[in-house]
Amino acid sequence: MVQLSVCKLCKTLSEKSIFTKSRFLDSLSLYVKGGSGGNGQPKYGGLGGRGGNVVCKVKAGASLESVKKQFKGVRITAASGDNSLVHRLAGRNGEDKILELPVGITAYADGGTKLGELNTEEDSIIIAHGGAGGNAQNGWLGRKGEELAVRLELKLIADIGLVGFPNAGKSTFLKAISRARPKIASYPFTTIKPNVGVITFDDFRKMSVADLPGLIEGAHRNLGMGHQFLRHVERTKLIAMIVDVNGFQLGLKHPKRSCVETVLLLNKELELYKMNLLEKPIILLVNKMDVEGAQEIYDGIRDTLHNLKDHIHKYPEEFQPEKVIKFQSILPISAKTNSTDVNDAKLKIRSILDLLAEEEQEMVDRELELVKKLKSSLREHQGEMII
């Protein structure tokens, strides 16, 4: 009996340690300081060197984990500029301190002010400027660099974000539509960090898909993986909500939720985190249709899912979001066993994203045409004025 208890304890500790080691880092707080400027040489008009900047720059393969390992302390300081010397009147500028980061980073100052974003491979952000070197305007004394607390947040950039409660089949669906190989098992919280896959079509069209860690009730209050999951939804173009046709139960101590209740709770979690998430195109994938009795369950809730707003009054107040999602499409699927279902879902996702791209291009074209007409009108009234 004692030996059995010890084994159970060891297994529990092992599972916890695996979870801790595998935890995905998508937010990092740092204290940064730009280098001080060097002093000038008033007698000969020599200029002090500028202090180095603390710069965030995109690098392929980088992560917040790598930054945390590289800078073991919480304070990161760029080099100071050199003083002006008799034999070298122009002091050398201090070397910048470069933080190599992945695409998708947003930098915030301690008060919440956005300092900038890294959205493409060419982007960079100065998060702490170096001080000016000594010159005639500042009394030849170098200035101190900026120093501030900074928070770096990673928001995955993907075309499609898969959302749903744990064990709904998101990882199975991702594996079925792409070459990604996420961990899959029959217990909650298999996915504890985002997995990203790419859907490739025969005509070489590609779309990125992010399988995001499972939500639980109360995620908007940062329960479970909370904001660690929800912030990644913000940059997706389309949300694919995946639910188990049989409903969801986190554990024996938690209430069992039906499929419709699950949809309403997911609707509410997205709404309470950020209402404008509901303005994105959203499709609903009702998964695990291969399970015995699934078709009967789906037939019984089909009308409710397609007309949620008309049926919401039948559910307790805690299930009722203020704004009910109007799904672009509702598809019953078996991500595990039915390749036809999966292909239909891929084609539906593509059609929505292609339509969205066309609408965006039309908007850009209209704006360009408006600018063109404005320029033409100004030229007519003001001669050859160029703007």
Side-chain angles (χ1 to χ4, degrees):
M1 179 67 75
V2 174
Q3 186 177 2
L4 184 61
S5 300
V6 171
C7 287
K8 284 183 178 179
L9 178 60
C10 289
K11 185 180 178 184
T12 303
L13 291 173
S14 175
E15 288 173 351
K16 285 184 177 179
S17 64
I18 290 169
F19 180 84
T20 303
K21 288 176 185 175
S22 304
R23 185 176 291 277
F24 177 66
L25 185 66
D26 60 0
S27 180
L28 183 63
S29 295
L30 301 168
Y31 194 80
V32 295
K33 183 177 184 299
S36 298
N39 293 327
Q41 186 68 253
K43 185 174 181 181
Y44 302 103
L47 303 177
R50 173 189 58 79
N53 302 317
V54 180
V55 181
C56 294
K57 191 174 180 180
V58 172
K59 183 181 179 183
S63 65
L64 289 178
E65 287 94 337
S66 61
V67 172
K68 190 175 182 181
K69 287 176 184 175
Q70 182 184 356
F71 302 100
K72 303 209 174 189
V74 291
R75 190 183 184 93
I76 297 173
T77 306
S80 294
D82 287 348
N83 295 330
S84 172
L85 303 172
V86 174
H87 63 277
R88 190 178 67 240
L89 291 177
R92 285 180 296 213
N93 291 335
E95 187 178 352
D96 292 342
K97 186 70 77 175
I98 307 292
L99 308 185
E100 296 176 337
L101 295 162
V103 169
I105 289 289
T106 303
Y108 297 94
D110 194 31
T113 304
K114 184 190 288 186
L115 302 175
E117 298 181 344
L118 300 176
N119 293 324
T120 70
E121 293 180 0
E122 292 75 34
D123 288 348
S124 63
I125 312 166
I126 297 176
I127 55 174
H129 290 83
N135 56 59
Q137 283 72 43
N138 59 23
W140 307 101
L141 296 174
R143 294 293 184 252
K144 289 183 177 180
E146 286 184 312
E147 52 183 311
L148 66 161
V150 172
R151 188 177 77 261
L152 303 177
E153 286 191 358
L154 173 65
K155 295 177 184 177
L156 291 177
I157 299 175
D159 296 314
I160 306 121
L162 306 181
V163 307
F165 285 150
N167 206 31
K170 300 186 305 300
S171 297
T172 304
F173 182 70
L174 179 67
K175 183 179 178 182
I177 61 173
S178 73
R179 293 183 178 179
R181 289 294 174 265
K183 183 180 177 184
I184 297 171
S186 58
Y187 50 87
F189 292 116
T190 303
T191 306
I192 55 177
K193 63 180 181 180
N195 291 299
V196 178
V198 176
I199 305 174
T200 304
F201 291 87
D202 292 339
D203 61 356
F204 304 108
R205 170 84 154 90
K206 292 185 177 181
M207 298 182 298
S208 55
V209 190
D211 168 23
L212 304 165
L215 286 167
I216 63 170
E217 292 178 49
H220 67 278
R221 300 195 306 273
N222 219 14
L223 296 180
M225 295 192 171
H227 292 189
Q228 189 176 359
F229 156 79
L230 287 169
R231 71 163 64 99
H232 296 294
V233 184
E234 295 180 50
R235 290 198 178 183
T236 58
K237 296 176 184 176
L238 177 146
I239 296 173
M241 184 181 290
I242 301 184
V243 296
D244 186 334
V245 68
N246 293 292
F248 171 70
Q249 185 174 21
L250 182 62
L252 294 175
K253 295 181 180 179
H254 296 81
K256 174 79 161 57
R257 305 302 189 189
S258 70
C259 181
V260 176
E261 289 172 341
T262 301
V263 171
L264 290 173
L265 287 169
L266 287 168
N267 186 155
K268 196 164 184 177
E269 289 300 336
L270 293 174
E271 173 187 88
L272 291 171
Y273 175 69
K274 220 165 248 191
M275 179 73 81
N276 62 10
L277 289 179
L278 302 183
E279 295 172 9
K280 292 178 181 288
I282 304 176
I283 67 169
L284 177 63
L285 302 177
V286 183
N287 194 23
K288 303 191 180 181
M289 292 297 295
D290 54 296
V291 176
E292 187 178 350
Q295 189 61 51
E296 295 172 278
I297 296 172
Y298 182 73
D299 290 342
I301 61 174
R302 186 201 308 266
D303 180 65
T304 300
L305 292 175
H306 282 269
N307 302 281
L308 266 180
K309 199 169 183 179
D310 298 334
H311 294 271
I312 194 171
H313 65 278
K314 301 174 184 176
Y315 295 86
E317 190 175 339
E318 63 265 26
F319 290 94
Q320 299 179 16
E322 287 182 27
K323 182 177 180 179
V324 179
I325 295 171
K326 179 65 177 174
F327 293 106
Q328 300 277 323
S329 183
I330 299 175
L331 298 173
I333 67 167
S334 170
K336 187 176 181 180
T337 65
N338 195 320
S339 58
T340 302
D341 287 354
V342 172
N343 193 55
D344 288 346
K346 283 169 62 174
L347 293 175
K348 176 55 68 175
I349 288 170
R350 172 170 179 165
S351 68
I352 294 171
L353 288 179
D354 285 350
L355 182 61
L356 192 63
E358 287 175 14
E359 291 173 351
E360 288 175 350
Q361 188 58 51
E362 286 174 4
M363 188 180 298
V364 170
D365 291 343
R366 283 197 298 269
E367 290 175 353
L368 289 173
E369 187 62 29
L370 187 61
V371 170
K372 190 176 177 181
K373 287 180 180 178
L374 179 59
K375 284 185 177 182
S376 178
S377 176
L378 286 169
R379 286 194 185 99
E380 287 176 10
H381 291 86
Q382 301 180 28
E384 294 301 316
M385 177 180 177
I386 299 175
I387 61 170

